[in-house]
Amino acid sequence: GVGLVDAAGLPEVVSTVWSNVFLISHLRPGETLLVHGGSSGIGTMAIQLAKAVGARVAVTAGTEDKLRYCGELGADILINYREQDFVEELKKATEGAGADVILDNMGAKYLDRNVQALAVNGRLAIIGLQGGIKGELNLNALLMKRAAVTAASLRARPLSEKTSIVAAVREHVWPLIAAGKVRPIIDRTLPMSEAAAAHRVLEESGHIGKVLLTL
């Protein structure tokens, strides 16, 4: 029930979200997930999967249009990172508890504030380095919260691990896709000959969801 073009927007985002948020960070029903870049391909998938398992979702994004779309997908807490402090806004929305799991694409820039935003026994999953590769970590804050920081990518993993991730995705996520509860969010498609233009769209951050190249 998924067209070939839309299907191209599924495998990497689903595998990334499922492996980091569920297999590594063990997000559970009733917990709070904070997703940085909620309107991205990864972010829009994370919102849908977290809501499907009964979690509460907070997102950060840079425009009201992006936040509105995240809300339409099911996000409960909408934070404009250009105008609001996500640590303070998250604490307000969770009565001081913070996020049980944070999915972070920024890396060093957000490291300290992410730890501040974690709940007790929280888990920070780093999947991107848009904000740099080196940062200081407050180990005392991590100890006091009994929290964990993990970092993982898909491409560097051995074939056996990739196989296990895909098997888990097929078991847990494919039924949600077949039922229409989860779908890839495609901002636009461009022909392969306009690949440079597609990269510019990504760099300008004006898109919501995936930008796909077609043959």
Side-chain angles (χ1 to χ4, degrees):
V2 180
L4 181 60
V5 173
D6 282 359
L10 278 170
E12 188 165 12
V13 293
V14 173
S15 296
T16 297
V17 172
W18 194 262
S19 62
N20 283 278
V21 175
F22 298 94
L23 296 181
I24 296 176
S25 299
H26 305 290
L27 181 69
R28 303 176 183 89
E31 290 191 325
T32 298
L33 168 69
L34 170 61
V35 182
H36 289 300
S39 63
S40 66
I42 293 289
T44 52
M45 182 56 63
I47 293 168
Q48 295 178 80
L49 290 179
K51 295 302 294 184
V53 302
R56 188 183 188 192
V57 180
V59 299
T60 64
T63 70
E64 292 306 311
D65 285 343
K66 289 182 176 181
L67 289 173
R68 188 179 306 110
Y69 194 89
C70 291
E72 292 172 358
L73 283 179
D76 305 284
I77 304 166
L78 309 175
I79 304 169
N80 187 327
Y81 69 81
R82 298 183 190 277
E83 301 175 359
Q84 299 170 294
D85 183 324
F86 73 82
V87 178
E88 293 303 317
E89 294 300 321
L90 186 64
K91 287 183 177 180
K92 288 178 187 176
T94 59
E95 299 181 347
D100 300 288
V101 176
I102 298 176
L103 186 62
D104 174 57
N105 61 351
M106 293 301 293
K109 183 178 180 180
Y110 278 8
L111 181 58
D112 182 64
R113 294 167 69 204
N114 277 331
V115 172
Q116 293 177 39
L118 282 175
V120 174
N121 295 315
R123 291 85 74 194
L124 168 60
I126 300 172
I127 60 169
L129 302 170
Q130 295 180 27
I133 62 174
K134 293 184 178 181
E136 287 193 5
L137 180 62
N138 186 332
L139 294 176
N140 185 57
L142 207 63
L143 283 168
M144 294 297 290
K145 291 186 175 183
R146 303 187 295 280
V149 178
T150 62
S153 65
L154 285 177
R155 295 180 188 178
R157 299 191 188 196
L159 182 59
S160 59
E161 289 188 19
K162 293 178 181 178
T163 301
S164 296
I165 291 169
V166 171
V169 163
R170 184 173 183 179
E171 177 183 356
H172 297 285
V173 182
W174 255 222
L176 297 172
I177 295 169
K181 295 180 179 179
V182 171
R183 60 189 173 91
I185 304 302
I186 311 300
D187 183 89
R188 72 192 73 181
T189 61
L190 293 169
M192 190 70 74
S193 60
E194 296 182 23
H199 278 285
R200 284 193 291 272
V201 171
L202 296 178
E203 290 166 2
E204 292 166 0
S205 299
H207 62 292
I208 294 176
K210 301 288 285 184
V211 176
L212 299 180
L213 296 175
T214 58
L215 291 172

